[in-house]
Amino acid sequence: MEKTFIRVRSGKDIIISASLIILGSVLVALPTGTGVNITGFFMIFAGLITALILKTAYKDSETGLKYKKTEHYFQQAMNSVISSALKTAPGSIDLTEADKGNAVRLDIYHSKSEGKAYLQLFEYVPYKYEPCSAVYEYEIDKVGKLL
């Protein structure tokens, strides 16, 4: 299965950016001291920057549905264990071994509203992570422990 996920803005990202811009505009519009106006301009600037940069959701390029992403990092020795667990039972992956290394990365794209989760394993090759497994689709209750 070939799945591609694209980074997009979530509703939370839009709310954060808009609230910074609106609050900054209110502070600039109020007849107060220079310090408050400077703070207002800073908030407007921060809101504009976050509107351009902040993207925390992922969209499936085929269906257009939005997903959240969770990552777990493992040592190289866990590569074969995780690869075999992804094929049969992803809930059996031992998270006590997570974050003890960064040679292998497990990406989980999940959506509770859709009830689906997509898992893929990546291996670190100098300067980037390369996929070393296919994308596996599971019901979200089977991978709930990983989220």
Side-chain angles (χ1 to χ4, degrees):
M1 173 187 310
E2 185 66 30
K3 279 284 188 189
T4 307
F5 294 94
I6 303 166
R7 241 177 139 168
V8 294
R9 287 174 188 79
S10 68
K12 186 196 279 187
D13 300 338
I14 295 168
I15 291 171
I16 289 170
S17 300
S19 62
L20 281 171
I21 292 171
I22 292 169
L23 273 165
S25 300
V26 168
L27 288 178
V28 169
L30 290 175
T32 56
T34 307
V36 175
N37 286 341
I38 291 172
T39 303
F41 280 118
F42 176 75
M43 289 178 75
I44 292 170
F45 181 71
L48 291 173
I49 294 297
T50 57
L52 295 173
I53 295 174
L54 194 61
K55 294 180 179 180
T56 59
Y58 291 84
K59 181 174 77 169
D60 184 0
S61 59
E62 292 175 7
T63 63
L65 299 173
K66 289 188 178 179
Y67 293 87
K68 292 182 182 179
K69 181 180 178 183
T70 303
E71 297 176 343
H72 296 291
Y73 295 90
F74 298 93
Q75 296 175 356
Q76 182 65 36
M78 295 292 293
N79 191 350
S80 61
V81 174
I82 296 171
S83 293
S84 62
L86 282 179
K87 293 175 186 174
T88 56
S92 66
I93 295 173
D94 186 16
L95 286 183
T96 59
E97 295 296 321
D99 298 328
K100 292 184 179 176
N102 61 353
V104 178
R105 182 181 80 192
L106 176 63
D107 286 356
I108 305 165
Y109 297 95
H110 54 92
S111 172
K112 289 185 181 180
S113 62
E114 295 298 317
K116 292 183 182 179
Y118 296 94
L119 290 82
Q120 186 173 18
L121 192 62
F122 290 84
E123 185 174 27
Y124 184 75
V125 178
Y127 307 112
K128 62 182 177 177
Y129 283 94
E130 293 286 337
C132 63
S133 77
V135 178
Y136 296 98
E137 178 182 350
Y138 287 102
E139 296 298 319
I140 201 160
D141 57 343
K142 290 186 179 183
V143 298
K145 182 181 110 175
L146 297 174
L147 306 177

